[in-house]
Amino acid sequence: MKQSSKVIIVAIDGPAGAGKSTVAKTLARKLGYLHIDTGAMYRCVTLKALRSKTNLESNHDLENLAKTSNVELKPGEPENKVFLDGEDVSKEIRTPEVTKSSAFIANCVPVRKILVARQQQMGRVDSAPYGGAVLEGRDIGTDVFPDAQYKFYLDASVEMRAKRRLRDLEKAGTQTTLESVMADVQARDDRDMNRAVGGLRKTADSIIMDHSELSVEESAEELYQFIRQHPR
Ligand code: DC
């Protein structure tokens, strides 16, 4: 752990399935920084809403739920652990039902405000002992840390992302087809990009990287080398 007064923020945004999570985790480890998976936070609120049968269309109810949720992200190997109100929900937040319903939570502006404020706190304060944080999501470089020292936009083709997703689903024992997964990936892109608040957008200072052809290790190494060669 480094002691530094200046916290370095690395933002990684991009569409679902571009490998952001593993790249962000690997990059954070190389840099010795804190890794903050902001999608896991939206997923936790989604899980809590589903379990409590909260009306997913009520901004007021979802806001109350987010206000009273305690989400903790704990570094771990091979996977980070995610705790919701003290319970390890690392697996539960990755089910297809949570993935699908998370769109309602992501669209809820009052929930976004609460989660963005928490992410800013984690990035500025919790990461201080590490010297920096790698935050991944959709709106990190635009809304959460518009002044991040590094803003990466990690892209990959719909087909490549769908192929990766299909492999993960098959590993988890789910039978489906590439066409169906491609349609899902495309639908998620449309939702993420067309959201009125917190939508996925490139900025003028985004460093755009297309990693369709790279492995996670290679992607993380490319980002790492970029940071090393461009001290800020
Ligand atoms: O990256 P992910 O698939 O784990 O994200 C889960 C959901 O949260 C997905 O609907 C997109 C949304 N999300 C968001 O709106 N803003 C973020 N910064 C991160 C995720």
Side-chain angles (χ1 to χ4, degrees):
M1 289 212 282
K2 280 176 248 160
Q3 284 302 326
S4 157
S5 52
K6 185 176 152 197
V7 168
I8 301 287
I9 300 289
V10 181
I12 305 185
D13 289 309
K20 282 190 310 289
S21 278
T22 330
V23 170
K25 184 174 194 294
T26 310
L27 178 65
R29 193 175 50 225
K30 282 174 186 271
L31 293 165
Y33 290 176
L34 189 65
H35 169 215
I36 303 170
D37 170 4
T38 64
M41 300 169 77
Y42 288 90
R43 286 174 179 272
C44 277
V45 178
T46 308
L47 179 66
K48 193 160 170 169
L50 290 173
R51 282 177 170 178
S52 59
K53 303 204 185 330
T54 301
N55 177 358
L56 297 180
E57 297 190 30
S58 162
N59 279 0
H60 176 261
D61 293 355
L62 291 177
E63 181 181 15
N64 277 337
L65 208 69
K67 267 190 200 152
T68 56
S69 301
N70 177 26
V71 176
E72 292 167 285
L73 308 175
K74 298 194 179 166
E77 291 300 337
E79 304 293 337
N80 291 337
K81 293 262 179 232
V82 182
F83 288 83
L84 169 63
D85 301 330
E87 177 194 349
D88 182 353
V89 293
S90 314
K91 285 210 170 61
E92 288 83 348
I93 59 167
R94 307 280 167 202
T95 61
E97 194 191 6
V98 170
T99 302
K100 194 158 161 260
S101 304
S102 70
F104 288 95
I105 311 305
N107 269 335
C108 178
V109 175
V111 170
R112 295 202 76 87
K113 280 201 181 134
I114 293 167
L115 296 188
V116 166
R118 284 192 197 158
Q119 291 154 16
Q120 289 168 337
Q121 157 92 8
M122 287 170 151
R124 286 201 190 104
V125 183
D126 300 359
S127 75
Y130 301 87
V134 178
L135 291 101
E136 40 130 343
R138 307 293 189 286
D139 58 344
I140 310 301
T142 50
D143 294 347
V144 185
F145 283 106
D147 54 355
Q149 284 89 342
Y150 301 94
K151 292 186 191 178
F152 294 107
Y153 186 99
L154 208 62
D155 218 348
S157 67
V158 170
E159 191 178 353
M160 275 310 201
R161 290 185 284 131
K163 279 185 179 160
R164 282 189 198 143
R165 176 101 189 100
L166 184 63
R167 269 201 306 271
D168 290 346
L169 286 169
E170 283 173 351
K171 256 194 234 158
T174 306
Q175 294 296 318
T176 180
T177 62
L178 182 62
E179 287 67 32
S180 144
V181 179
M182 273 177 75
D184 271 2
V185 168
Q186 189 68 62
R188 287 189 71 189
D189 282 3
D190 291 344
R191 280 202 301 265
D192 277 340
M193 288 172 184
N194 297 320
R195 195 165 37 240
V197 174
L200 175 63
R201 280 188 288 121
K202 293 171 186 150
T203 59
D205 54 350
S206 299
I207 304 150
I208 300 164
M209 302 205 154
D210 188 313
H211 283 169
S212 299
E213 305 299 332
L214 297 187
S215 70
V216 163
E217 261 312 320
E218 290 167 334
S219 292
E221 182 61 21
E222 197 171 316
L223 268 58
Y224 179 69
Q225 289 306 333
F226 182 94
I227 292 171
R228 282 280 154 266
Q229 287 157 19
H230 299 83
R232 286 176 184 169

